[in-house]
CSV table of all heavy atoms in Angstrom, one decimal:
chain,number,residue,atom,x,y,z
A,137,MET,N,0.8,-1.2,0.1
A,137,MET,CA,0.0,-0.1,0.0
A,137,MET,C,0.9,1.2,0.0
A,137,MET,O,1.6,1.4,0.8
A,137,MET,CB,-0.9,0.0,1.3
A,137,MET,CG,-1.8,1.2,1.3
A,137,MET,SD,-2.8,1.2,2.8
A,137,MET,CE,-3.9,-0.2,2.5
A,138,PRO,N,0.9,2.1,-1.0
A,138,PRO,CA,1.6,3.3,-1.1
A,138,PRO,C,1.3,4.2,0.1
A,138,PRO,O,0.2,4.3,0.6
A,138,PRO,CB,1.3,3.8,-2.3
A,138,PRO,CG,0.5,3.0,-3.2
A,138,PRO,CD,-0.1,1.9,-2.2
A,139,SER,N,2.2,5.1,0.3
A,139,SER,CA,2.0,6.1,1.5
A,139,SER,C,0.9,7.1,1.1
A,139,SER,O,0.2,7.6,2.0
A,139,SER,CB,3.3,6.7,1.7
A,139,SER,OG,3.7,7.5,0.7
A,140,THR,N,0.7,7.3,-0.1
A,140,THR,CA,-0.4,8.2,-0.4
A,140,THR,C,-1.8,7.6,-0.1
A,140,THR,O,-2.8,8.3,-0.2
A,140,THR,CB,-0.2,8.8,-2.0
A,140,THR,OG1,-0.2,7.6,-2.8
A,140,THR,CG2,1.0,9.5,-2.2
A,141,ALA,N,-1.8,6.4,-0.3
A,141,ALA,CA,-3.1,5.6,0.1
A,141,ALA,C,-3.4,5.6,1.5
A,141,ALA,O,-4.5,5.4,2.0
A,141,ALA,CB,-3.1,4.3,-0.6
A,142,LEU,N,-2.4,5.7,2.3
A,142,LEU,CA,-2.5,5.6,3.7
A,142,LEU,C,-3.0,7.0,4.2
A,142,LEU,O,-3.7,6.9,5.3
A,142,LEU,CB,-1.2,5.2,4.3
A,142,LEU,CG,-1.1,4.8,5.9
A,142,LEU,CD1,-2.0,3.6,6.1
A,142,LEU,CD2,0.3,4.5,6.3
A,143,LEU,N,-2.7,8.1,3.6
A,143,LEU,CA,-3.1,9.4,4.2
A,143,LEU,C,-4.5,9.5,4.3
A,143,LEU,O,-5.1,10.0,5.4
A,143,LEU,CB,-2.4,10.5,3.5
A,143,LEU,CG,-0.9,10.6,3.5
A,143,LEU,CD1,-0.5,11.8,2.6
A,143,LEU,CD2,-0.6,11.1,4.9
A,144,PRO,N,-5.3,9.2,3.2
A,144,PRO,CA,-6.8,9.3,3.4
A,144,PRO,C,-7.4,8.4,4.4
A,144,PRO,O,-8.4,8.8,5.1
A,144,PRO,CB,-7.3,9.0,1.9
A,144,PRO,CG,-6.1,9.2,1.0
A,144,PRO,CD,-5.0,8.9,1.8
A,145,LEU,N,-6.8,7.3,4.6
A,145,LEU,CA,-7.4,6.4,5.6
A,145,LEU,C,-7.1,7.0,7.1
A,145,LEU,O,-8.1,6.9,7.9
A,145,LEU,CB,-6.7,5.0,5.6
A,145,LEU,CG,-7.0,4.1,4.3
A,145,LEU,CD1,-6.2,2.9,4.4
A,145,LEU,CD2,-8.5,3.9,4.3
A,146,ILE,N,-6.0,7.5,7.3
A,146,ILE,CA,-5.7,8.1,8.6
A,146,ILE,C,-6.6,9.4,8.8
A,146,ILE,O,-7.2,9.7,9.7
A,146,ILE,CB,-4.3,8.5,8.7
A,146,ILE,CG1,-3.4,7.3,8.8
A,146,ILE,CG2,-3.9,9.3,9.9
A,146,ILE,CD1,-1.9,7.5,8.7
A,147,GLY,N,-6.7,10.1,7.6
A,147,GLY,CA,-7.6,11.3,7.6
A,147,GLY,C,-9.1,11.0,8.0
A,147,GLY,O,-9.7,11.7,8.8
A,148,ALA,N,-9.6,9.9,7.3
A,148,ALA,CA,-11.0,9.4,7.6
A,148,ALA,C,-11.1,9.0,9.1
A,148,ALA,O,-12.1,9.4,9.8
A,148,ALA,CB,-11.3,8.3,6.7
A,149,LEU,N,-10.1,8.3,9.6
A,149,LEU,CA,-10.1,8.0,11.0
A,149,LEU,C,-10.1,9.2,12.0
A,149,LEU,O,-10.9,9.2,12.9
A,149,LEU,CB,-9.0,7.0,11.4
A,149,LEU,CG,-9.0,5.6,10.8
A,149,LEU,CD1,-7.9,4.8,11.1
A,149,LEU,CD2,-10.2,4.9,11.4
A,150,LEU,N,-9.3,10.2,11.6
A,150,LEU,CA,-9.4,11.5,12.4
A,150,LEU,C,-10.6,12.2,12.5
A,150,LEU,O,-11.1,12.7,13.5
A,150,LEU,CB,-8.2,12.3,11.9
A,150,LEU,CG,-6.8,11.9,12.4
A,150,LEU,CD1,-5.7,12.9,11.8
A,150,LEU,CD2,-6.6,11.9,14.0
A,151,VAL,N,-11.2,12.2,11.2
A,151,VAL,CA,-12.5,13.0,11.1
A,151,VAL,C,-13.6,12.1,11.9
A,151,VAL,O,-14.4,12.8,12.7
A,151,VAL,CB,-13.0,13.0,9.7
A,151,VAL,CG1,-14.5,13.4,9.5
A,151,VAL,CG2,-12.1,14.0,8.9
A,152,ILE,N,-13.6,10.9,11.8
A,152,ILE,CA,-14.6,10.1,12.6
A,152,ILE,C,-14.3,10.3,14.2
A,152,ILE,O,-15.3,10.4,14.9
A,152,ILE,CB,-14.6,8.6,12.2
A,152,ILE,CG1,-15.1,8.4,10.8
A,152,ILE,CG2,-15.3,7.8,13.2
A,152,ILE,CD1,-14.9,7.1,10.2
A,153,ALA,N,-13.0,10.2,14.5
A,153,ALA,CA,-12.8,10.4,15.9
A,153,ALA,C,-13.1,11.7,16.5
A,153,ALA,O,-13.6,11.9,17.6
A,153,ALA,CB,-11.1,10.2,16.1
A,154,GLY,N,-12.9,12.8,15.6
A,154,GLY,CA,-13.3,14.1,16.0
A,154,GLY,C,-14.9,14.3,16.1
A,154,GLY,O,-15.3,14.8,17.1
A,155,LEU,N,-15.6,13.6,15.2
A,155,LEU,CA,-17.0,13.6,15.5
A,155,LEU,C,-17.5,12.9,16.6
A,155,LEU,O,-18.4,13.3,17.4
A,155,LEU,CB,-17.7,12.9,14.1
A,155,LEU,CG,-17.6,13.9,12.8
A,155,LEU,CD1,-18.1,13.0,11.7
A,155,LEU,CD2,-18.4,15.2,13.0
A,156,VAL,N,-16.9,11.7,16.9
A,156,VAL,CA,-17.3,10.9,18.1
A,156,VAL,C,-16.9,11.8,19.3
A,156,VAL,O,-17.7,11.9,20.3
A,156,VAL,CB,-16.6,9.6,18.1
A,156,VAL,CG1,-16.7,8.8,19.3
A,156,VAL,CG2,-17.3,8.7,17.0
A,157,TYR,N,-15.7,12.3,19.3
A,157,TYR,CA,-15.3,13.1,20.5
A,157,TYR,C,-16.2,14.4,20.8
A,157,TYR,O,-16.7,14.6,22.0
A,157,TYR,CB,-13.9,13.7,20.3
A,157,TYR,CG,-13.4,14.5,21.4
A,157,TYR,CD1,-12.8,13.9,22.5
A,157,TYR,CD2,-13.5,15.9,21.5
A,157,TYR,CE1,-12.3,14.6,23.7
A,157,TYR,CE2,-13.0,16.6,22.6
A,157,TYR,CZ,-12.5,16.0,23.6
A,157,TYR,OH,-12.1,16.8,24.7
A,158,SER,N,-16.6,15.0,19.7
A,158,SER,CA,-17.5,16.1,19.9
A,158,SER,C,-18.9,15.8,20.4
A,158,SER,O,-19.6,16.5,21.3
A,158,SER,CB,-17.7,17.0,18.6
A,158,SER,OG,-16.4,17.5,18.2
A,159,ALA,N,-19.4,14.6,19.9
A,159,ALA,CA,-20.7,14.1,20.2
A,159,ALA,C,-20.7,13.8,21.7
A,159,ALA,O,-21.5,14.0,22.5
A,159,ALA,CB,-21.2,13.0,19.4
A,160,PHE,N,-19.5,12.9,22.0
A,160,PHE,CA,-19.4,12.5,23.5
A,160,PHE,C,-19.4,13.7,24.5
A,160,PHE,O,-19.9,13.6,25.5
A,160,PHE,CB,-18.2,11.6,23.5
A,160,PHE,CG,-18.0,11.1,24.9
A,160,PHE,CD1,-18.7,10.1,25.4
A,160,PHE,CD2,-17.0,11.6,25.8
A,160,PHE,CE1,-18.6,9.6,26.6
A,160,PHE,CE2,-16.8,11.1,27.0
A,160,PHE,CZ,-17.5,10.1,27.5
A,161,GLN,N,-18.6,14.7,24.0
A,161,GLN,CA,-18.6,15.8,24.9
A,161,GLN,C,-19.9,16.5,25.1
A,161,GLN,O,-20.3,16.9,26.3
A,161,GLN,CB,-17.6,16.9,24.4
A,161,GLN,CG,-16.1,16.6,24.5
A,161,GLN,CD,-15.7,16.7,26.0
A,161,GLN,OE1,-15.5,15.6,26.6
A,161,GLN,NE2,-15.6,17.8,26.5
A,162,ALA,N,-20.7,16.7,24.0
A,162,ALA,CA,-22.0,17.3,24.2
A,162,ALA,C,-23.0,16.4,25.0
A,162,ALA,O,-23.7,16.9,25.9
A,162,ALA,CB,-22.6,17.5,22.7
A,163,ILE,N,-23.0,15.0,24.8
A,163,ILE,CA,-23.8,14.2,25.7
A,163,ILE,C,-23.3,14.3,27.1
A,163,ILE,O,-24.1,14.3,28.0
A,163,ILE,CB,-23.7,12.8,25.2
A,163,ILE,CG1,-24.5,12.8,23.8
A,163,ILE,CG2,-24.3,11.8,26.1
A,163,ILE,CD1,-24.3,11.4,23.0
A,164,TRP,N,-22.0,14.1,27.3
A,164,TRP,CA,-21.5,14.1,28.8
A,164,TRP,C,-21.8,15.5,29.5
A,164,TRP,O,-22.1,15.3,30.6
A,164,TRP,CB,-19.9,13.9,28.7
A,164,TRP,CG,-19.3,13.6,30.0
A,164,TRP,CD1,-18.6,14.4,30.8
A,164,TRP,CD2,-19.4,12.3,30.7
A,164,TRP,NE1,-18.2,13.8,31.9
A,164,TRP,CE2,-18.7,12.5,31.9
A,164,TRP,CE3,-20.0,11.1,30.5
A,164,TRP,CZ2,-18.6,11.5,32.9
A,164,TRP,CZ3,-19.8,10.1,31.4
A,164,TRP,CH2,-19.2,10.3,32.6
A,165,ILE,N,-21.6,16.6,28.9
A,165,ILE,CA,-21.8,17.8,29.6
A,165,ILE,C,-23.3,18.0,29.8
A,165,ILE,O,-23.7,18.5,30.8
A,165,ILE,CB,-21.3,19.0,28.8
A,165,ILE,CG1,-19.7,19.0,28.8
A,165,ILE,CG2,-21.8,20.3,29.2
A,165,ILE,CD1,-19.0,19.9,28.0
A,166,SER,N,-24.1,17.7,28.9
A,166,SER,CA,-25.6,17.9,29.1
A,166,SER,C,-26.1,16.8,30.1
A,166,SER,O,-27.2,17.1,30.7
A,166,SER,CB,-26.3,17.7,27.8
A,166,SER,OG,-26.2,16.3,27.2
A,167,ARG,N,-25.5,15.8,30.3
A,167,ARG,CA,-25.9,14.8,31.3
A,167,ARG,C,-25.8,15.4,32.7
A,167,ARG,O,-26.5,15.3,33.6
A,167,ARG,CB,-25.1,13.5,31.3
A,167,ARG,CG,-25.5,12.6,32.4
A,167,ARG,CD,-24.7,11.2,32.1
A,167,ARG,NE,-25.1,10.6,30.8
A,167,ARG,CZ,-24.4,9.6,30.4
A,167,ARG,NH1,-23.4,9.1,30.9
A,167,ARG,NH2,-24.9,9.1,29.2
A,168,PHE,N,-24.7,16.3,32.9
A,168,PHE,CA,-24.5,16.8,34.2
A,168,PHE,C,-25.4,18.2,34.4
A,168,PHE,O,-25.4,18.7,35.6
A,168,PHE,CB,-23.0,17.2,34.4
A,168,PHE,CG,-22.3,15.9,34.8
A,168,PHE,CD1,-21.2,15.5,33.8
A,168,PHE,CD2,-22.5,15.1,35.8
A,168,PHE,CE1,-20.6,14.3,34.1
A,168,PHE,CE2,-21.8,14.0,36.1
A,168,PHE,CZ,-20.8,13.6,35.1
A,169,ASN,N,-25.9,18.6,33.4
A,169,ASN,CA,-26.7,19.9,33.4
A,169,ASN,C,-28.2,19.6,33.6
A,169,ASN,O,-29.0,20.5,33.3
A,169,ASN,CB,-26.5,20.8,32.2
A,169,ASN,CG,-25.2,21.5,32.2
A,169,ASN,OD1,-24.6,21.5,33.3
A,169,ASN,ND2,-24.6,21.9,31.2
A,170,ARG,N,-28.6,18.4,33.9
A,170,ARG,CA,-30.1,18.0,33.9
A,170,ARG,C,-30.8,18.6,35.2
A,170,ARG,O,-31.9,18.7,35.3
A,170,ARG,CB,-30.1,16.6,34.0
A,170,ARG,CG,-29.8,16.0,32.7
A,170,ARG,CD,-30.3,14.5,32.6
A,170,ARG,NE,-30.0,13.9,31.3
A,170,ARG,CZ,-30.2,12.7,31.0
A,170,ARG,NH1,-30.6,11.8,31.9
A,170,ARG,NH2,-29.9,12.2,29.8
A,171,GLU,N,-30.0,19.1,36.2
A,171,GLU,CA,-30.6,19.6,37.3
A,171,GLU,C,-31.4,21.0,37.0
A,171,GLU,O,-32.2,21.4,37.6
A,171,GLU,CB,-29.7,19.8,38.5
A,171,GLU,CG,-28.6,20.8,38.3
A,171,GLU,CD,-27.4,20.2,37.7
A,171,GLU,OE1,-27.3,19.0,37.5
A,171,GLU,OE2,-26.4,21.0,37.4
A,172,LYS,N,-31.0,21.6,35.9
A,172,LYS,CA,-31.6,22.8,35.4
A,172,LYS,C,-33.0,22.5,34.8
A,172,LYS,O,-33.9,23.4,34.7
A,172,LYS,CB,-30.8,23.6,34.5
A,172,LYS,CG,-29.5,24.1,35.1
A,172,LYS,CD,-28.7,24.8,34.1
A,172,LYS,CE,-27.4,25.4,34.7
A,172,LYS,NZ,-26.5,25.9,33.7
A,173,ARG,N,-33.1,21.3,34.2
A,173,ARG,CA,-34.4,21.0,33.5
A,173,ARG,C,-34.7,21.9,32.4
A,173,ARG,O,-35.8,22.2,32.1
A,173,ARG,CB,-35.6,20.9,34.4
A,173,ARG,CG,-35.4,19.9,35.6
A,173,ARG,CD,-35.8,18.6,35.1
A,173,ARG,NE,-35.6,17.7,36.2
A,173,ARG,CZ,-35.4,16.4,36.3
A,173,ARG,NH1,-35.2,15.9,35.0
A,173,ARG,NH2,-35.3,15.7,37.2
A,174,SER,N,-33.7,22.5,31.7
A,174,SER,CA,-33.9,23.3,30.6
A,174,SER,C,-33.0,23.0,29.5
A,174,SER,O,-31.8,22.5,29.7
A,174,SER,CB,-33.8,24.8,30.9
A,174,SER,OG,-32.5,25.1,31.3
A,175,PHE,N,-33.3,23.1,28.3
A,175,PHE,CA,-32.3,22.8,27.2
A,175,PHE,C,-31.4,23.9,27.0
A,175,PHE,O,-31.7,25.1,26.9
A,175,PHE,CB,-33.2,22.7,25.9
A,175,PHE,CG,-32.4,22.4,24.7
A,175,PHE,CD1,-31.9,21.1,24.5
A,175,PHE,CD2,-32.1,23.4,23.7
A,175,PHE,CE1,-31.2,20.8,23.4
A,175,PHE,CE2,-31.2,23.1,22.7
A,175,PHE,CZ,-30.8,21.8,22.5
A,176,SER,N,-30.2,23.5,26.9
A,176,SER,CA,-29.1,24.5,26.7
A,176,SER,C,-28.1,23.9,25.7
A,176,SER,O,-28.0,22.7,25.5
A,176,SER,CB,-28.4,24.8,28.0
A,176,SER,OG,-27.6,23.8,28.5
A,177,LEU,N,-27.4,24.9,25.1
A,177,LEU,CA,-26.4,24.3,24.0
A,177,LEU,C,-25.0,24.4,24.7
A,177,LEU,O,-24.0,24.7,23.9
A,177,LEU,CB,-26.5,25.2,22.8
A,177,LEU,CG,-27.8,25.1,22.0
A,177,LEU,CD1,-27.8,26.1,20.9
A,177,LEU,CD2,-28.0,23.7,21.5
A,178,TRP,N,-24.9,24.3,25.9
A,178,TRP,CA,-23.6,24.5,26.6
A,178,TRP,C,-22.5,23.4,26.1
A,178,TRP,O,-21.4,23.7,25.9
A,178,TRP,CB,-23.7,24.2,28.1
A,178,TRP,CG,-22.6,24.3,28.8
A,178,TRP,CD1,-21.8,23.4,29.3
A,178,TRP,CD2,-21.7,25.5,29.1
A,178,TRP,NE1,-20.7,23.8,30.1
A,178,TRP,CE2,-20.7,25.1,29.8
A,178,TRP,CE3,-21.9,26.9,28.8
A,178,TRP,CZ2,-19.6,26.1,30.3
A,178,TRP,CZ3,-21.0,27.8,29.2
A,178,TRP,CH2,-19.9,27.3,30.0
A,179,GLY,N,-23.1,22.2,25.8
A,179,GLY,CA,-22.0,21.3,25.3
A,179,GLY,C,-21.6,21.3,23.9
A,179,GLY,O,-20.7,20.6,23.3
A,180,PHE,N,-22.2,22.5,23.2
A,180,PHE,CA,-21.9,22.6,21.7
A,180,PHE,C,-21.0,23.7,21.4
A,180,PHE,O,-20.8,24.3,20.3
A,180,PHE,CB,-23.2,22.7,21.0
A,180,PHE,CG,-23.9,21.5,20.9
A,180,PHE,CD1,-25.0,21.3,21.7
A,180,PHE,CD2,-23.6,20.4,20.1
A,180,PHE,CE1,-25.8,20.2,21.7
A,180,PHE,CE2,-24.3,19.2,20.2
A,180,PHE,CZ,-25.5,19.1,20.9
A,181,GLY,N,-20.5,24.3,22.5
A,181,GLY,CA,-19.6,25.6,22.3
A,181,GLY,C,-18.2,25.3,21.7
A,181,GLY,O,-17.7,24.1,21.8
A,182,LEU,N,-17.6,26.2,21.4
A,182,LEU,CA,-16.2,26.1,20.8
A,182,LEU,C,-15.1,25.6,22.0
A,182,LEU,O,-14.3,24.9,21.6
A,182,LEU,CB,-15.8,27.4,20.1
A,182,LEU,CG,-14.5,27.4,19.4
A,182,LEU,CD1,-14.5,26.3,18.3
A,182,LEU,CD2,-14.2,28.7,18.8
A,183,ARG,N,-15.4,26.2,23.1
A,183,ARG,CA,-14.6,26.0,24.1
A,183,ARG,C,-14.6,24.4,24.5
A,183,ARG,O,-13.5,23.8,24.8
A,183,ARG,CB,-14.8,26.8,25.4
A,183,ARG,CG,-13.9,26.4,26.6
A,183,ARG,CD,-14.4,27.3,27.8
A,183,ARG,NE,-13.6,28.5,27.6
A,183,ARG,CZ,-13.9,29.6,28.5
A,183,ARG,NH1,-14.6,29.5,29.5
A,183,ARG,NH2,-13.2,30.7,28.2
A,184,ALA,N,-15.7,23.8,24.5
A,184,ALA,CA,-15.9,22.4,24.9
A,184,ALA,C,-15.4,21.5,23.6
A,184,ALA,O,-15.0,20.4,24.0
A,184,ALA,CB,-17.2,22.1,25.3
A,185,ASN,N,-15.5,21.9,22.5
A,185,ASN,CA,-15.2,21.0,21.4
A,185,ASN,C,-13.9,21.3,20.5
A,185,ASN,O,-13.9,20.7,19.5
A,185,ASN,CB,-16.5,21.1,20.4
A,185,ASN,CG,-17.6,20.4,20.9
A,185,ASN,OD1,-17.6,19.4,21.7
A,185,ASN,ND2,-18.9,21.0,20.7
A,186,TRP,N,-13.1,22.2,20.9
A,186,TRP,CA,-11.9,22.4,20.1
A,186,TRP,C,-11.0,21.3,19.8
A,186,TRP,O,-10.5,21.2,18.7
A,186,TRP,CB,-11.1,23.7,20.7
A,186,TRP,CG,-10.3,23.3,22.0
A,186,TRP,CD1,-10.8,23.6,23.3
A,186,TRP,CD2,-9.0,22.9,22.1
A,186,TRP,NE1,-9.7,23.1,24.1
A,186,TRP,CE2,-8.6,22.6,23.3
A,186,TRP,CE3,-8.2,22.4,21.0
A,186,TRP,CZ2,-7.5,22.1,23.7
A,186,TRP,CZ3,-6.9,21.9,21.4
A,186,TRP,CH2,-6.6,21.7,22.8
A,187,PRO,N,-10.9,20.4,20.7
A,187,PRO,CA,-10.1,19.1,20.4
A,187,PRO,C,-10.7,18.3,19.2
A,187,PRO,O,-10.0,17.9,18.4
A,187,PRO,CB,-10.0,18.3,21.6
A,187,PRO,CG,-10.2,19.3,22.8
A,187,PRO,CD,-11.2,20.3,22.2
A,188,GLY,N,-12.1,18.2,19.2
A,188,GLY,CA,-12.8,17.5,18.2
A,188,GLY,C,-12.7,18.2,17.0
A,188,GLY,O,-12.5,17.6,15.9
A,189,LEU,N,-12.8,19.5,17.0
A,189,LEU,CA,-12.7,20.3,15.8
A,189,LEU,C,-11.3,20.2,15.1
A,189,LEU,O,-11.1,20.3,14.0
A,189,LEU,CB,-13.2,21.7,16.0
A,189,LEU,CG,-14.6,22.0,16.4
A,189,LEU,CD1,-14.9,23.4,16.8
A,189,LEU,CD2,-15.5,21.5,15.2
A,190,ALA,N,-10.3,20.3,16.1
A,190,ALA,CA,-8.9,20.1,15.6
A,190,ALA,C,-8.7,18.7,14.8
A,190,ALA,O,-8.0,18.7,13.9
A,190,ALA,CB,-7.9,20.3,16.7
A,191,LEU,N,-9.1,17.7,15.5
A,191,LEU,CA,-9.1,16.4,14.8
A,191,LEU,C,-9.8,16.3,13.5
A,191,LEU,O,-9.2,15.8,12.6
A,191,LEU,CB,-9.7,15.3,15.7
A,191,LEU,CG,-9.0,14.8,17.0
A,191,LEU,CD1,-9.8,14.0,17.9
A,191,LEU,CD2,-7.7,14.3,16.5
A,192,ILE,N,-11.1,16.9,13.4
A,192,ILE,CA,-11.8,17.0,12.1
A,192,ILE,C,-10.9,17.8,11.1
A,192,ILE,O,-10.7,17.4,9.9
A,192,ILE,CB,-13.1,17.6,12.3
A,192,ILE,CG1,-13.9,16.7,13.2
A,192,ILE,CG2,-13.7,17.9,11.0
A,192,ILE,CD1,-15.3,17.3,13.6
A,193,ALA,N,-10.3,18.9,11.6
A,193,ALA,CA,-9.4,19.8,10.6
A,193,ALA,C,-8.2,19.0,10.0
A,193,ALA,O,-8.0,19.0,8.9
A,193,ALA,CB,-9.1,21.1,11.2
A,194,ALA,N,-7.6,18.3,11.0
A,194,ALA,CA,-6.4,17.5,10.6
A,194,ALA,C,-6.8,16.4,9.7
A,194,ALA,O,-6.1,16.1,8.7
A,194,ALA,CB,-5.7,17.0,12.0
A,195,GLY,N,-7.9,15.7,10.0
A,195,GLY,CA,-8.3,14.7,9.1
A,195,GLY,C,-8.7,15.2,7.7
A,195,GLY,O,-8.4,14.6,6.8
A,196,ALA,N,-9.3,16.4,7.7
A,196,ALA,CA,-9.6,17.0,6.4
A,196,ALA,C,-8.5,17.3,5.6
A,196,ALA,O,-8.3,17.1,4.4
A,196,ALA,CB,-10.5,18.2,6.5
A,197,ILE,N,-7.4,17.9,6.2
A,197,ILE,CA,-6.2,18.0,5.6
A,197,ILE,C,-5.5,16.8,5.0
A,197,ILE,O,-5.0,16.8,3.9
A,197,ILE,CB,-5.2,18.8,6.5
A,197,ILE,CG1,-5.8,20.3,6.8
A,197,ILE,CG2,-3.8,18.9,5.9
A,197,ILE,CD1,-5.0,21.0,7.8
A,198,LEU,N,-5.5,15.9,5.8
A,198,LEU,CA,-5.0,14.4,5.3
A,198,LEU,C,-5.8,13.8,4.2
A,198,LEU,O,-5.2,13.1,3.4
A,198,LEU,CB,-4.8,13.5,6.5
A,198,LEU,CG,-3.7,13.9,7.5
A,198,LEU,CD1,-3.6,12.9,8.7
A,198,LEU,CD2,-2.3,13.9,6.8
A,199,LEU,N,-7.0,14.1,4.3
A,199,LEU,CA,-8.0,13.6,3.2
A,199,LEU,C,-7.6,14.2,1.8
A,199,LEU,O,-7.6,13.6,0.8
A,199,LEU,CB,-9.4,13.7,3.5
A,199,LEU,CG,-10.1,12.7,4.4
A,199,LEU,CD1,-11.4,13.2,4.8
A,199,LEU,CD2,-10.0,11.4,3.8
A,200,LEU,N,-7.3,15.5,1.9
A,200,LEU,CA,-7.0,16.3,0.7
A,200,LEU,C,-5.4,16.3,0.3
A,200,LEU,O,-5.2,16.6,-0.8
A,200,LEU,CB,-7.4,17.8,0.8
A,200,LEU,CG,-8.9,18.0,1.1
A,200,LEU,CD1,-9.1,19.4,1.4
A,200,LEU,CD2,-9.7,17.5,-0.2
A,201,ALA,N,-4.6,15.8,1.2
A,201,ALA,CA,-3.2,15.8,0.9
A,201,ALA,C,-2.8,15.0,-0.2
A,201,ALA,O,-1.9,15.5,-1.0
A,201,ALA,CB,-2.4,15.4,2.2
A,202,PRO,N,-3.3,13.8,-0.5
A,202,PRO,CA,-2.8,13.0,-1.8
A,202,PRO,C,-3.1,13.8,-3.1
A,202,PRO,O,-2.3,13.7,-4.1
A,202,PRO,CB,-3.6,11.8,-1.7
A,202,PRO,CG,-3.9,11.6,-0.2
A,202,PRO,CD,-4.1,13.0,0.3
A,203,SER,N,-4.2,14.6,-3.1
A,203,SER,CA,-4.6,15.3,-4.3
A,203,SER,C,-3.5,16.5,-4.5
A,203,SER,O,-3.3,16.9,-5.6
A,203,SER,CB,-5.9,15.7,-4.4
A,203,SER,OG,-6.2,16.6,-3.4
A,204,ALA,N,-3.1,17.1,-3.4
A,204,ALA,CA,-2.2,18.1,-3.4
A,204,ALA,C,-0.7,17.7,-3.7
A,204,ALA,O,-0.1,18.4,-4.3
A,204,ALA,CB,-2.2,18.9,-2.2
A,205,LEU,N,-0.4,16.4,-3.3
A,205,LEU,CA,0.9,15.9,-3.6
A,205,LEU,C,1.1,15.3,-4.9
A,205,LEU,O,2.2,15.3,-5.5
A,205,LEU,CB,1.3,14.8,-2.4
A,205,LEU,CG,1.3,15.4,-1.1
A,205,LEU,CD1,1.6,14.1,-0.1
A,205,LEU,CD2,2.5,16.4,-0.9
A,206,GLN,N,0.0,15.0,-5.5
A,206,GLN,CA,0.0,14.3,-6.9
A,206,GLN,C,0.2,15.4,-7.9
A,206,GLN,O,-0.4,16.4,-7.9
A,206,GLN,CB,-1.2,13.5,-7.1
A,206,GLN,CG,-1.2,12.8,-8.4
A,206,GLN,CD,-2.5,12.0,-8.5
A,206,GLN,OE1,-3.6,12.2,-7.7
A,206,GLN,NE2,-2.7,11.2,-9.6
A,207,GLY,N,1.1,15.2,-8.7
A,207,GLY,CA,1.4,16.1,-9.8
A,207,GLY,C,0.4,16.0,-10.9
A,207,GLY,O,-0.5,15.2,-10.9
A,208,PRO,N,0.4,17.1,-11.8
A,208,PRO,CA,-0.5,17.0,-13.0
A,208,PRO,C,-0.2,15.8,-13.9
A,208,PRO,O,1.0,15.5,-14.1
A,208,PRO,CB,-0.4,18.2,-13.6
A,208,PRO,CG,0.9,18.8,-13.1
A,208,PRO,CD,1.2,18.3,-11.8
A,209,GLN,N,-1.2,15.2,-14.4
A,209,GLN,CA,-1.0,14.1,-15.2
A,209,GLN,C,-1.4,14.2,-16.6
A,209,GLN,O,-2.2,14.9,-17.0
A,209,GLN,CB,-1.7,12.8,-14.7
A,209,GLN,CG,-1.1,12.5,-13.4
A,209,GLN,CD,-1.7,11.1,-12.9
A,209,GLN,OE1,-2.8,10.6,-13.5
A,209,GLN,NE2,-1.3,10.6,-11.8
């Protein structure tokens, strides 16, 4: 398997990991805010989800890297 074929696989794994991390953070934080009995978007803020967003961004870069590294044909 060439190294350029490995980059999109790692990128896809990073994107999925970022989505799972962000969803887990939102569920985990909202679980502890149940005493208020009101709907809030506290778990969806940038401060709580920046590691997940960083994983998604790194994965997107790795998904696009093979097309940038490949020369014109």
Side-chain angles (χ1 to χ4, degrees):
M137 180 182 294
S139 63
T140 57
L142 190 61
L143 288 177
L145 292 175
I146 295 171
L149 288 174
L150 284 175
V151 168
I152 292 170
L155 289 172
V156 168
Y157 180 83
S158 297
F160 181 75
Q161 283 294 104
I163 291 169
W164 189 257
I165 289 174
S166 67
R167 181 177 292 170
F168 288 117
N169 287 338
R170 286 191 181 175
E171 64 269 0
K172 294 180 183 178
R173 301 279 184 204
S174 65
F175 180 75
S176 69
L177 295 175
W178 179 255
F180 294 104
L182 186 61
R183 177 180 278 178
N185 287 326
W186 72 265
L189 295 174
L191 285 172
I192 293 170
I197 290 170
L198 288 178
L199 280 169
L200 296 174
S203 63
L205 296 176
Q206 184 179 9
Q209 293 181 359

